[in-house]
Amino acid sequence: MTTIPRWLRYTLGIILLGVFVMTGIFRPIQNWAQSLLLPMSRWFVGVSSSISTSQNPDDRIQDLENRLTAVTADYVRLRALEEENRGLKAQARFLDRSGYDSVGARVIRRELEGQRASFLIDRGRDDALEIGQAVITDNGVMIGKISQIYDRVAEVVLLTDAKSRVASALQGEGRLTGVLEGKGNGAMILTYVPSSAQLKTDQLLITAGTEEKVPANLPIGFVSIVRGQPTDPFIDASIESLVRFDEVTLVSVLRPTALAPKL
Amino acid sequence: MIIRWILFLLGVLLFAMWDISGASFLPSWISIRLIVPFAFFCFFTERYRHAFIALFVGAAVQDIFRWDGFDSALLRWTIIYGLMQWLAERFLTNRSLYVVCFLVLAFQSLDWFSAWMLSGIGIVLGFSSSFSLPDHWISILVWEVLLTVIGYGIISWSDGRLVRFKSKGYGS
């Protein structure tokens, strides 16, 4: 009786494993394992976040940055409300009226390397999340969109990821200005801006609201450098984010109110 | 025996979860990952089965939380482990600390290379996103080698023999 050589068994095993993995047979096991490991994951995030926070040498600067972000976000929100003649209202009410509600989530994995910028959050299909929904920080600043979804977790592609594209507008313009493209390594560029647009440094960029699952008037960042000649059909600009992605641990996902689970 | 295996598996699972959820939230210079040094620690104490299971569990946990449809750590790590074992059995019979460090570095380099290759194929087929080498890749390599050296040192000390820090040349 002939025996199969060890190397051949090994190779066949690997090929079989590869086929199983790529056909998605393991997807139910993956969902189940994610649910099982989520508590452990949250615990580790808590531990390492506390270590990371204690390493920060200048908490005061961080506090001031956070306050600036919060003030900017409030300013944008108030300007948006003024433009729409709705008067002052709280963030929650704004979300209610705009037809969105938010669901809080914790970041359980962070990937900020080169061209990639993504989070894994502990909310998924079970919480009525969908691909393309906007993800914001607790200050209301948009940081990305849901790109991949599982039962209990979801992946968020951040605005600086090379795959990210968001329709954007300048604060006060009230119309689509350009497309915000992620360039990796923490960089974002506003492209396809008509040269007739009055683009200046320190202007605030917000979401245009032309995408189905992304509401308008979510603050994104400031214009830092404008490039292009007046003779060019389009100009572009570098955008500086309002938040530091490596310090975000809690986020909210905006979902249409119709999708919110009925209690 | 069973209790020992359960404790081992639990430990490996904790290490793997740390690599996913813990290490990425630390500042880059102390982004310490545990599963690869631990597996190689087992490998060089000739507990091959333990080493394989550690890498298998580590890769499975990675795939559970980051699988993008094509690039699978389970697949890559199984192949690389086979390659490492084959390399160690045939060519690297000297179990000096240099060899340990070389294999850890080789494993990590092969891991990144294979991830880059698979994600490249995945992009062509429309599955995955592009691979990027971690910004702090040097600190990852340094920590992995350092942890392996520490583990190797501890086991040698506990066995009552010293770590051979350099291989003996011919005629010495």
Side-chain angles (χ1 to χ4, degrees), chain A residues 188-247:
Chain A
M188 296 184 282
I189 291 184
L190 184 66
T191 56
Y192 300 113
V193 183
S195 53
S196 58
Q198 300 296 312
L199 206 57
K200 293 176 200 142
T201 53
D202 294 334
Q203 273 183 308
L204 203 57
L205 196 70
I206 56 174
T207 52
T210 53
E211 292 174 76
E212 192 188 353
K213 294 169 188 170
V214 181
N217 297 316
L218 296 175
I220 293 173
F222 286 113
V223 176
S224 58
I225 302 166
V226 181
R227 281 181 295 268
Q229 302 298 320
T231 51
D232 296 339
F234 295 105
I235 54 174
D236 58 34
S238 295
I239 305 298
E240 194 179 325
S241 178
L242 289 169
V243 290
R244 287 187 57 177
F245 295 127
D246 59 348
E247 286 169 358

Side-chain angles (χ1 to χ4, degrees), chain B residues 110-127:
Chain B
L110 274 173
D111 179 35
W112 286 332
F113 176 73
S114 57
W116 169 76
M117 214 166 64
L118 267 182
S119 65
I121 298 168
I123 289 168
V124 171
L125 298 175
F127 278 104

